[in-house]
């Protein structure tokens, strides 16, 4: 009886197990600036991505992306008026492919005062556009990926606390004690 109960508990734990979220830091280093016609080796763009492989197929799709953060853009699973990820696809062993946009408009007294748009097409380019309607000053910069651009992907997911394993062990011990008590 004890073995059956223990096996049943183990099977129920396995059945309810889910893939866990993973967070990655993606750093793009070096880009070509068509605005200044020069390669900038020190240029760096850091993207933080949180994904969950819900179907356990080893790749991540748009529906498995729960967070993407880069500069002002912070996408949290669905597009808003400010942040949006139009597409996302990432297979293990490759680099993620996605298009993300950030758009913010600032109003004062009902008048549009400032607008900013950032667009990131991973592996292609990063574009920043800002316009002040009051001063007429505009900024329009593009950084493009080249063969010299390096990309590093680091898993920065939190490691489970030892207390979680202790709680799991205590639960199994409790089930075992209950089974032993019922058998006696």
């Amino acid at each position: 009886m004890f073995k059956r109960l223990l096996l049943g508990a183990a099977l129920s734990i396995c059945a309810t197990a889910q893939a866990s979220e993973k967070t990655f830091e993606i750093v793009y280093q070096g880009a070509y600036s068509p605005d200044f016609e020069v390669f900038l080796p020190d240029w760096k763009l850091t993207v933080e991505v949180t994904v969950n492989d819900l179907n356990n197929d080893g790749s991540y799709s748009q529906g498995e992306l729960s967070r993407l953060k880069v500069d002002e853009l912070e996408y949290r699973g669905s597009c808003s008026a400010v942040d949006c990820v139009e597409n996302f696809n990432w297979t293990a062993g490759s680099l993620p492919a996605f298009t993300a946009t950030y758009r913010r408009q600032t109003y004062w007294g009902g008048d549009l005062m400032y607008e900013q748009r950032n667009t990131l097409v991973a592996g292609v380019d990063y574009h920043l556009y800002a316009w002040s309607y009051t001063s007429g000053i505009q900024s329009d910069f593009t950084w493009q990926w080249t063969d010299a651009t390096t990309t590093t992907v680091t898993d920065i997911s939190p490691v489970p606390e030892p207390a979680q394993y202790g709680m799991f062990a205590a639960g199994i011990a409790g089930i075992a004690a209950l089974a032993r008590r019922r058998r006696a």
Side-chain angles (χ1 to χ4, degrees):
M1 177 70 177
F2 174 71
K3 289 180 183 178
R4 285 187 199 164
L5 185 60
L6 197 55
L7 180 61
L11 288 175
S12 67
I13 289 169
C14 290
T16 59
Q18 298 178 9
S20 61
E21 281 195 338
K22 290 186 167 231
T23 301
F24 297 92
E25 181 181 76
I26 305 162
V27 178
Y28 301 100
Q29 178 84 36
Y32 175 75
S33 170
D35 306 304
F36 300 106
E37 298 180 351
V38 64
F39 182 79
L40 306 167
D42 295 332
W43 180 86
K44 182 165 52 170
L45 183 68
T46 303
V47 179
E48 198 171 290
V49 175
T50 303
V51 290
N52 191 347
D53 190 7
L54 298 172
N55 57 4
N56 295 315
D57 66 352
S59 65
Y60 305 106
S61 63
Q62 177 84 23
E64 296 171 320
L65 173 67
S66 57
R67 181 173 171 265
L68 186 142
K69 180 172 180 9
V70 56
D71 288 342
E72 294 90 357
L73 182 143
E74 186 158 4
Y75 170 86
R76 294 205 172 260
S78 63
C79 290
S80 68
V82 177
D83 305 309
C84 192
V85 173
E86 284 88 24
N87 59 57
F88 185 88
N89 189 357
W90 189 8
T91 302
S94 68
L95 295 176
F98 60 90
T99 301
T101 58
Y102 166 85
R103 182 176 181 204
R104 179 155 293 147
Q105 296 177 326
T106 305
Y107 291 88
W108 183 265
D111 295 329
L112 181 61
M113 303 298 285
Y114 178 80
E115 182 175 350
Q116 178 179 342
R117 278 182 270 148
N118 299 25
T119 303
L120 170 60
V121 180
V124 178
D125 65 13
Y126 181 58
H127 185 87
L128 167 69
Y129 172 79
W131 175 266
S132 171
Y133 290 92
T134 55
S135 67
I137 297 173
Q138 94 174 34
S139 300
D140 191 1
F141 297 104
T142 301
W143 297 272
Q144 297 173 339
W145 275 245
T146 70
D147 291 339
T149 304
T150 61
T151 306
T152 56
V153 179
T154 308
D155 187 346
I156 58 169
S157 302
V159 177
E161 295 291 325
Q164 290 177 325
Y165 294 116
M167 288 173 49
F168 176 72
I172 294 294
I175 291 171
L178 182 63
R180 195 169 227 172
R181 185 173 176 208
R182 284 188 180 185
R183 191 170 58 169

